[in-house]
Amino acid sequence: MSYSDSDSSSQAGEYKNFRQLTRERLLYEMLRSAKTGSSKSATWKVLIMDKLTVKIMSYACKMADITQEGVSLVEDIFRRRQPLPSLDAIYFIQPTKENVIMFLSDMSGKSPLYKKAFVFFSSPVSKELVSHIKKDSSVLPRIGALREMNLEFFAIDSQGFITDHEKALEDLFGDEETSRKGDACLNVMASRIATVFASLREFPTVRYRAAKSLDASTMTTLRDLIPTKLAAGIWNCLAKHKQSIENFPQTETCELLILDRSIDQISPIIHEWTYDAMCHDLLNMEGNKYVHVIPSKSGGQPENKDVLLEEHDPIWLELRHAHIADASERLHDKMTNFLSKNKAAQLQHGKRDGGELSTRDLQKMVQALPQYSEQIDKLSLHVEIARKINDLIREQGLRELGQLEQDLVFGDAGMKDVIKYLSTQEEASREGKLRLLMILATIYPEKFEGEKGQNLMKLAKLSSDDMSAVNNMRLLGSAVDAKKHTPGGFTLKFDLHKKKRAVRKERQEEAAWQLSRFYPMIEELIEKLSKGELPKEDYPCMNDPSPSFHGSTSHSSSASSSQGQAAQSMRSRRTPTWAKPRGSDDGYSSDSVLRHSSSDFKKMGQRIFVFIVGGATRSELKVCHKLTTKLKREVILGSTSLDDPPQFITKLKLLTANELSIDDLQI
């Protein structure tokens, strides 16, 4: 199999982010390379994909990008297709027997569907399938290319990917462990993760969470061996890539840390207060799609418009990792600045001096200026979204709930505080109470044994179906146990005065905004990995790094110089007291990574990859952006899926509900 000669590893000259590299490989290395003869003129082609590869393409590229590379039609390999014998076809497919049979059916015989076929496999193809293709003498002359792209992952973010294993939690952590199903899931996962390194031309040191069994008498379970088995699978795939891929690095160029959901059970459940997380948690969005209600300019019915909240939107890019209160402040500033520079708006307002306008008043004024409609559309969209989120925070009493969640995690609250909340906050939503009990069960599992759990369920007015999610937290492994020391040094912290447990320690540089003290556990792990302080007995290495490897160099000086200024508010009237800055500095500007990417990425150290089996969270993705700036090393997060709290809770319920499907369960 031939392979592109381009170099995109951390050691390459020009540094491009993860998603850019994925997009360019698909567009230029695959679509643009599919040309016949010496003619350089654009000829239209047909692009044929399967269910997985169409998702890979859609996450990385837009339809306009594909069309620009000469693709006039996109087809499903398993659909009946119209013969187009005058056009060439590009097949981007998985190397499965079914796909190869369909391809041969298309191109064999006297009347093939297409003129010539350029075949690109998403992952390594077996010798048996290659032999099967070569046997058909009528097809061979019609093949323009037969190559392995080694690209079988979804680039969900400039620094994030998933392997499309939505059922990983169920298959690997379920109550009824089946070794065959679990091993099959891990094998496919390993192959897909390995294509990330093949695609980027990176060869990692592979670290993984060690099995937590404390002594020889303790039975090691399949779920306890998940990171170990996955690390071995990835290592086997990488060994093959070293032999088969031209110019693949022979020494380590980056670091990979393999974890699973057991290392941090709280991050998928706790309320995360960034703009991005709040949008996906509270607004019932479908993926990244938000339904924007646009008022009619003629006074008729409002119009619904689907909008994608993605990186091509500069306002989203700037605000997505900001605290919701900070995002609201910045949006008001943008509206005010726009109006202050616009004379027509000032005349319409009727007074240049006077009372301060609300963000909604400013939005209405701006919408009345047709000449600026295109410029202001995106701003109005985000003003509407922020207003909706703030209304929901107030209506659902999320301020009080969020404070209790964080106090529990940091050991400032305990069982009595939860009972008081459940007894007095009757307006609290069912989902809010469920998430609170799930956090409580992680910290105080003994409080849910026998009748104690039943009593808490009655007090919270939750169903037995809801309580299954609480009880199933135990299947993720007891990351917190008062009597045992778990790998990684994350033990319970006891306050001698309060006698309450804490699962996080206070970090001095954090909490520029209230309700943002919480941080995902991977933040601590990545920082230790980068400094070379991650204990090898708890996180062993599949391969001992070469003497020349310098991935764990600390960049403390550059990190300290990147300290930014904490967001400040001059308008206390609009900023709720719970959201006011507390004077500390988190050293992180939410959009600094991309704002300075063109220059800063070239100065980056070697990449760090973190893979979490069982689903990652938006707070963990935010941490990777934050640490990229702090450590001066691009940190890329991979996972089996990206889960918002409602999806994660549904998956937890399925761990002991084998007879149910996801459609049967409601959050």
Side-chain angles (χ1 to χ4, degrees):
M1 291 288 135
S2 61
Y3 195 87
S4 169
D5 206 20
S6 60
D7 187 0
S8 52
S9 75
S10 305
Q11 308 304 302
E14 186 179 359
Y15 213 110
K16 292 174 182 173
N17 75 42
F18 176 72
R19 197 181 222 171
Q20 284 175 323
L21 289 165
T22 306
R23 177 180 176 273
E24 289 183 9
R25 286 203 63 219
L26 289 167
L27 293 178
Y28 309 143
E29 190 179 320
M30 186 174 77
L31 299 186
R32 190 172 289 184
S33 69
K35 291 181 180 177
T36 51
S38 58
S39 172
K40 292 184 180 179
S41 60
T43 53
W44 291 110
K45 301 178 282 280
V46 182
L47 175 60
I48 298 152
M49 296 181 281
D50 59 34
K51 284 184 178 178
L52 181 83
T53 55
V54 77
K55 283 185 181 180
I56 294 169
M57 183 68 79
S58 64
Y59 271 99
C61 309
K62 297 192 177 300
M63 194 62 210
D65 299 328
I66 298 168
T67 306
Q68 199 168 354
E69 294 304 323
V71 173
S72 60
L73 186 62
V74 176
E75 296 268 35
D76 181 338
I77 192 167
F78 287 105
R79 290 265 178 94
R80 181 186 285 272
R81 283 164 278 128
Q82 178 187 351
L84 296 166
S86 63
L87 297 183
D88 291 339
I90 300 170
Y91 285 81
F92 179 36
I93 53 177
Q94 292 175 272
T96 64
K97 187 176 181 180
E98 294 79 10
N99 282 346
V100 168
I101 289 170
M102 289 301 295
F103 159 67
L104 292 173
S105 171
D106 290 348
M107 298 303 296
S108 62
K110 293 182 180 179
S111 305
L113 291 187
Y114 310 106
K115 184 179 177 183
K116 214 165 187 67
F118 296 82
V119 185
F120 298 88
F121 291 113
S122 57
S123 57
V125 61
S126 68
K127 289 179 181 178
E128 291 78 16
L129 286 178
V130 174
S131 299
H132 191 48
I133 293 169
K134 286 181 176 178
K135 281 179 187 174
D136 196 322
S137 57
S138 66
V139 172
L140 277 179
R142 296 166 183 159
I143 296 176
L146 191 66
R147 298 170 61 186
E148 291 170 346
M149 281 298 288
N150 283 307
L151 209 160
E152 206 164 278
F153 53 87
F154 301 168
I156 57 167
D157 183 85
S158 60
Q159 289 172 229
F161 71 92
I162 57 173
T163 58
D164 193 36
H165 285 93
E166 288 289 339
K167 294 183 72 178
L169 207 65
E170 184 182 350
D171 290 346
L172 297 168
F173 292 88
D175 209 13
E176 294 182 11
E177 289 188 358
T178 53
S179 182
R180 186 183 299 175
K181 186 189 278 189
D183 286 346
C185 177
L186 287 171
N187 287 339
V188 175
M189 202 183 297
S191 172
R192 290 182 182 175
I193 295 166
T195 69
V196 172
F197 297 100
S199 193
L200 297 180
R201 295 300 176 79
E202 293 274 24
F203 179 47
T205 55
V206 182
R207 304 280 298 271
Y208 58 95
R209 177 189 65 71
K212 295 192 289 269
S213 298
L214 298 174
D215 52 57
S217 64
T218 310
M219 184 78 172
T220 302
T221 61
L222 168 66
R223 66 176 75 100
D224 204 24
L225 290 169
I226 288 168
T228 309
K229 287 192 168 190
L230 183 58
I234 293 170
W235 183 247
N236 289 338
C237 293
L238 290 172
K240 292 174 186 174
H241 289 333
K242 281 179 78 173
Q243 301 299 319
S244 62
I245 295 176
E246 191 180 352
N247 295 334
F248 192 80
Q250 299 300 301
T251 57
E252 295 79 6
T253 61
C254 63
E255 293 180 273
L256 166 64
L257 178 61
I258 299 170
L259 308 168
D260 61 18
R261 201 60 271 170
S262 71
I263 59 114
D264 185 355
Q265 300 163 46
I266 294 175
S267 285
I269 304 157
I270 196 168
H271 283 87
E272 168 71 16
W273 292 81
T274 59
Y275 185 45
D276 179 12
M278 281 277 157
C279 284
H280 289 87
D281 193 355
L282 301 182
L283 298 182
N284 296 318
M285 289 171 57
E286 186 182 323
N288 292 331
K289 186 173 75 176
Y290 173 76
V291 180
H292 182 29
V293 180
I294 303 170
S296 171
K297 291 175 182 175
S298 59
Q301 289 292 319
E303 176 190 348
N304 286 351
K305 182 182 178 183
D306 290 346
V307 182
L308 291 176
L309 300 180
E310 292 180 338
E311 291 173 350
H312 59 79
D313 176 351
I315 298 176
W316 174 254
L317 204 55
E318 177 189 343
L319 300 180
R320 61 180 175 167
H321 295 149
H323 189 287
I324 181 60
D326 184 19
S328 301
E329 289 290 321
R330 291 202 225 172
L331 285 167
H332 190 282
D333 285 344
K334 288 177 186 294
M335 278 288 192
T336 305
N337 290 340
F338 180 85
L339 289 171
S340 67
K341 294 172 185 174
N342 184 281
K343 289 184 179 179
Q346 291 172 3
L347 289 171
Q348 186 168 332
H349 181 33
K351 51 180 179 179
R352 304 193 181 193
D353 302 308
E356 189 178 4
L357 288 165
S358 71
T359 308
R360 190 162 198 169
D361 293 334
L362 293 169
Q363 182 188 12
K364 286 179 180 176
M365 287 169 58
V366 169
Q367 285 173 336
L369 304 171
Q371 68 270 40
Y372 293 103
S373 61
E374 187 177 342
Q375 186 178 348
I376 210 67
D377 271 352
K378 284 226 175 345
L379 195 49
S380 292
L381 163 70
H382 290 286
V383 167
E384 177 191 305
I385 292 172
R387 186 172 65 245
K388 271 190 181 180
I389 290 171
N390 284 312
D391 287 347
L392 287 167
I393 289 170
R394 188 170 56 253
E395 290 166 13
Q396 295 181 18
L398 292 184
R399 181 190 75 177
E400 294 81 6
L401 177 60
Q403 190 66 59
L404 180 53
E405 288 176 344
Q406 304 227 354
D407 286 347
L408 270 175
V409 169
F410 284 91
D412 297 325
M415 191 70 187
K416 288 181 181 178
D417 302 281
V418 173
I419 290 172
K420 182 182 176 183
Y421 177 86
L422 294 175
S423 304
T424 58
Q425 300 289 333
E426 292 193 1
E427 79 285 356
S429 68
R430 181 172 61 91
E431 187 192 327
K433 291 185 287 187
L434 173 58
R435 286 162 70 171
L436 181 63
L437 287 190
M438 290 170 79
I439 293 170
L440 187 70
T442 306
I443 304 170
Y444 297 94
E446 75 280 2
K447 301 292 185 185
F448 289 81
E449 293 171 357
E451 287 188 8
K452 296 176 186 175
Q454 291 294 318
N455 292 336
L456 281 167
M457 180 181 86
K458 290 173 185 174
L459 180 62
K461 297 178 181 176
L462 296 177
S463 66
S464 55
D465 179 47
D466 287 332
M467 285 304 288
S468 69
V470 178
N471 296 328
N472 286 348
M473 296 294 283
R474 65 185 165 79
L475 296 172
L476 297 184
S478 183
V480 177
D481 192 316
K483 298 176 183 176
K484 296 175 184 176
H485 182 282
T486 55
F490 304 124
T491 54
L492 287 168
K493 313 293 189 300
F494 288 92
D495 188 308
L496 293 176
H497 302 291
K498 302 177 194 171
K499 294 187 178 177
K500 291 171 184 171
R501 298 176 193 170
V503 289
R504 293 292 190 279
K505 58 188 177 187
E506 296 282 0
R507 291 164 70 97
Q508 290 301 315
E509 81 270 19
E510 295 300 329
W513 298 84
Q514 285 188 15
L515 296 179
S516 61
R517 280 193 298 166
F518 179 82
Y519 57 92
M521 198 57 84
I522 67 162
E523 183 166 351
E524 201 165 300
L525 291 172
I526 294 168
E527 288 186 324
K528 285 184 177 181
L529 178 69
S530 187
K531 292 174 185 174
E533 296 174 0
L534 200 61
K536 287 232 174 154
E537 63 273 17
D538 299 330
Y539 296 90
C541 190
M542 285 295 296
N543 48 327
D544 288 321
S546 311
S548 60
F549 181 69
H550 53 87
S552 40
T553 305
S554 175
H555 298 273
S556 55
S557 60
S558 58
S560 61
S561 65
S562 66
Q563 296 285 309
Q565 189 173 355
Q568 298 292 329
S569 169
M570 300 301 290
R571 292 185 299 278
S572 58
R573 182 182 66 81
R574 275 194 326 282
T575 309
T577 54
W578 58 270
K580 282 184 182 178
R582 289 158 50 141
S584 59
D585 183 6
D586 67 358
Y588 172 59
S589 170
S590 65
D591 56 327
S592 63
V593 175
L594 284 119
R595 190 192 299 136
H596 302 298
S597 60
S598 57
S599 58
D600 283 2
F601 270 129
K602 292 178 184 177
K603 304 171 189 173
M604 290 286 179
Q606 293 176 326
R607 290 185 177 111
I608 295 173
F609 294 82
V610 181
F611 191 86
I612 304 173
V613 181
T617 69
R618 293 181 193 278
S619 60
E620 288 164 338
L621 192 54
K622 181 193 77 171
V623 158
C624 292
H625 283 272
K626 169 183 173 179
L627 291 181
T628 294
T629 303
K630 183 176 180 180
L631 303 176
K632 298 296 178 189
R633 298 176 68 182
E634 187 182 13
V635 182
I636 295 172
L637 177 68
S639 187
T640 46
S641 56
L642 184 68
D643 294 331
D644 297 305
Q647 287 89 27
F648 185 77
I649 294 168
T650 297
K651 289 178 179 182
L652 265 183
K653 290 180 180 180
L654 283 169
L655 295 188
T656 49
N658 295 325
E659 71 278 5
L660 296 176
S661 69
I662 287 179
D663 297 329
D664 296 326
L665 294 170
Q666 296 296 321
I667 301 303

